[in-house]
Amino acid sequence: MALTDEAIAKIRQMIQSGELPPGARLPPEPQLAVQIGLSRSGVREAVKALESARVLDVRRGDGTYVTSLAPRLLLEGVGLAVELLRDDTLLEVMEVRRLLEPAATGLAAARLTDAHLDELAQLLEDMRTAAEDAEKLIRYDTAFHRTVIAATGNETLTSLLDGLSGRTVRARVWRGLIEGNAAHVTLGEHQAIYRALRARDQTLAQATALLHVNTSESWLRTILAATDGDGRSD
């Protein structure tokens, strides 16, 4: 593992220095091993690890290339990790969302287009139509927030929040809201976010988004507390 870690560090340094820019092809394995002064097996394992991290793209029969290094690729693992988090850590994820999502929504208010607003209006109507269907609500809710954050034009922020707002968290909140006959509350919060965005009021957009995240966090706490009280855990 020490040799693999060293190989990873050296390949990363080559990428960070610009010696291997995005899209560049790595030297063949024997040549790369000599170049960085490590064994071929260490290089091979390092390439596998960096491929898993979406830093490298191994094309069978062609070679190994540096990916675009776009945020959507490099931050993809955030979402996969969030899906595996245990109950107590999910609340930490909600705290991070509370810090980032309202600010991002405020930023979106200054940058969104009429096309974004039209899309959000349709998603709101879809959510109202599916008020009793948890699966559809999760899908439309995810699309609504993804559209808002994407309107910032900040791919790093979009990728990070997309990962933090995983299906597992949304599913638990929405099912709790429906079972508690409170889905109409958060539907109204989505409407408030939309109105603030339509007015392009950054302060109001940030405030309405904060209220919405607080509602989601509160319901998640309630759901987790009930689960703990029953002696069960997901």
Side-chain angles (χ1 to χ4, degrees), residues 53-55 67 69-78:
R54 308 303 293 274
V55 174
T67 67
L69 302 180
R72 61 182 174 77
L73 288 176
L74 300 182
L75 295 176
E76 186 178 62
V78 173

Side-chain angles (χ1 to χ4, degrees), residues 47-117:
V47 167
K48 288 180 182 178
L50 291 171
E51 181 185 20
S52 296
R54 308 303 293 274
V55 174
L56 297 179
D57 177 19
V58 178
R59 305 174 190 173
R60 309 302 173 190
D62 183 8
T64 299
Y65 294 79
V66 180
T67 67
S68 66
L69 302 180
R72 61 182 174 77
L73 288 176
L74 300 182
L75 295 176
E76 186 178 62
V78 173
L80 298 176
V82 167
E83 296 294 328
L84 297 174
L85 292 178
R86 297 178 62 82
D87 290 350
D88 54 347
T89 322
L90 281 179
L91 291 173
E92 293 184 4
V93 171
M94 293 299 294
E95 288 182 351
V96 177
R97 274 188 63 195
R98 180 154 36 90
L99 291 170
L100 295 179
E101 195 166 308
T105 305
L107 183 60
R111 297 182 176 178
L112 50 62
T113 64
D114 289 342
H116 288 128
L117 288 170

Side-chain angles (χ1 to χ4, degrees), residues 16 68 85 116-117 141 143 181 190 202 204 211 213 220 223:
Q16 290 169 335
S68 66
L85 292 178
H116 288 128
L117 288 170
D141 176 61
N181 295 316
H190 283 80
Q202 290 184 260
L204 183 59
L211 176 62
V213 176
L220 183 59
I223 294 165

Side-chain angles (χ1 to χ4, degrees), residues 187-197 204 208:
L187 284 171
E189 291 171 356
H190 283 80
Q191 179 69 46
I193 292 171
Y194 171 74
R195 288 174 178 164
L197 291 170
L204 183 59
T208 53

Side-chain angles (χ1 to χ4, degrees), residues 159-216:
S159 300
L160 185 58
L161 278 170
D162 201 32
L164 291 172
S165 305
R167 182 177 177 80
T168 296
V169 178
R170 291 190 184 282
R172 300 189 71 168
V173 171
W174 270 111
R175 291 193 178 108
L177 289 167
I178 290 173
E179 290 170 7
N181 295 316
H184 66 283
V185 174
T186 195
L187 284 171
E189 291 171 356
H190 283 80
Q191 179 69 46
I193 292 171
Y194 171 74
R195 288 174 178 164
L197 291 170
R198 190 170 187 82
R200 290 180 165 80
D201 187 326
Q202 290 184 260
T203 302
L204 183 59
Q206 183 165 343
T208 53
L210 177 59
L211 176 62
H212 175 56
V213 176
N214 281 341
T215 297
S216 298

Side-chain angles (χ1 to χ4, degrees), residues 14 18 23 37 46 50 60 71 83 94 108 119 122-123 139 146 149 152 179 196 224 227 234:
M14 293 171 72
L50 291 171
R60 309 302 173 190
E83 296 294 328
M94 293 299 294
E119 185 175 354
Q122 181 58 57
L123 287 167
R139 185 165 67 251
R146 185 173 291 154
I149 306 306
T152 66
E179 290 170 7
L224 296 182
T227 299
D234 287 348

